[in-house]
């Protein structure tokens, strides 16, 4: 199976055009734009690749993240039985993000405990649907850059525990 390299443009309501570049082979996602700081998430060379995760791994030890030129800490849940196990925590200079599924299709982005937006992404086309909960004055450009990078690296949404049980163990990624 050949893995894809792709660049697409997302048109954000608050921050205009953002370029999202993915390289599945190397396991990288990069977001940039005239109004946002650059964000990059990369799978470390030699890391075991999980085919069910777009960036190739949910293991924090296998991932590096840079936000606006500064290193960030990324802690990814294992993504197994509960919706909460799919959450991602990111610590950046000046704040902490939580990217946490809130339905089968959407994942909410919180900064320092304040909900900022709901993100969803069409896996087939890679189109974003972003519903900003806060007003433009309360959303930082870094919020958008981090918010667009995480769905591409990890997808949005997750089944709940009971749905997972009803679907059976075959619904679980390795």
């Amino acid at each position: 199976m050949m893995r894809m390299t792709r660049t697409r443009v997302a048109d954000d309501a608050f921050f205009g055009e953002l370029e999202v570049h993915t390289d599945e082979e190397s396991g990288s996602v990069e977001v940039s734009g005239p109004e946002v700081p650059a964000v990059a998430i990369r799978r470390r060379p030699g890391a075991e690749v999980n085919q069910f995760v777009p960036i190739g791994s949910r293991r924090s030890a296998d991932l590096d993240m840079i936000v606006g030129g500064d290193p960030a800490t990324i802690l990814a849940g294992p993504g197994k039985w509960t919706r909460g196990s799919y959450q991602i925590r990111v610590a950046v200079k000046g704040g902490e993000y939580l990217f946490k599924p809130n339905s089968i299709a959407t994942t909410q982005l919180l900064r320092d405990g304040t909900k900022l937006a709901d993100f969803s992404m069409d896996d087939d086309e890679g189109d974003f649907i972003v519903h900003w909960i806060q007003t433009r004055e309360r959303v930082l450009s870094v919020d958008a850059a981090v918010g667009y990078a995480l769905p591409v690296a990890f997808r949005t949404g997750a089944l709940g525990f009971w749905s997972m049980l009803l679907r059976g163990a075959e619904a679980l990624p390795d």
Side-chain angles (χ1 to χ4, degrees):
M1 168 172 93
M2 183 171 176
R3 298 179 68 99
M4 306 258 310
T5 299
R6 178 177 180 185
T7 300
R8 63 183 151 236
V9 174
D11 188 18
D12 184 74
F14 290 167
F15 297 98
E17 287 189 356
L18 288 84
E19 188 172 280
V20 181
H21 179 78
T22 56
D23 183 336
E24 292 179 9
E25 186 68 32
S26 69
S28 68
V29 172
E30 298 174 9
V31 174
S32 61
E35 295 188 46
V36 300
V39 170
I41 304 172
R42 292 189 175 90
R43 185 181 72 241
R44 291 185 179 157
E48 186 177 328
V49 175
N50 179 336
Q51 66 181 357
F52 295 104
V53 181
I55 199 158
S57 181
R58 293 187 67 85
R59 294 190 57 230
S60 300
D62 293 343
L63 302 171
D64 290 314
M65 187 170 183
I66 304 292
V67 177
D70 295 316
T73 302
I74 186 166
L75 301 171
K80 290 289 181 178
W81 285 100
T82 65
R83 194 171 276 154
S85 74
Y86 285 87
Q87 67 185 13
I88 311 289
R89 292 185 180 278
V90 175
V92 300
K93 187 170 137 182
E96 188 171 304
Y97 291 94
L98 178 61
F99 190 65
K100 161 176 124 167
N102 55 348
S103 77
I104 195 169
T106 63
T107 298
Q108 56 190 321
L109 179 68
L110 296 91
R111 179 183 17 92
D112 298 327
T114 300
K115 184 174 178 182
L116 301 172
D118 286 322
F119 282 79
S120 105
M121 196 173 112
D122 177 340
D123 282 338
D124 295 332
E125 297 298 319
D127 294 330
F128 292 93
I129 299 171
V130 180
H131 176 68
W132 291 104
I133 307 297
Q134 299 295 323
T135 62
R136 168 62 185 94
E137 295 74 32
R138 299 189 77 170
V139 177
L140 307 173
S141 61
V142 68
D143 300 339
V146 168
Y148 279 88
L150 293 172
V152 176
F154 300 102
R155 292 195 179 99
T156 58
L159 291 171
F161 177 73
W162 296 111
S163 296
M164 193 71 75
L165 281 178
L166 290 173
R167 288 186 67 187
E170 73 276 357
L172 285 176
D174 292 332

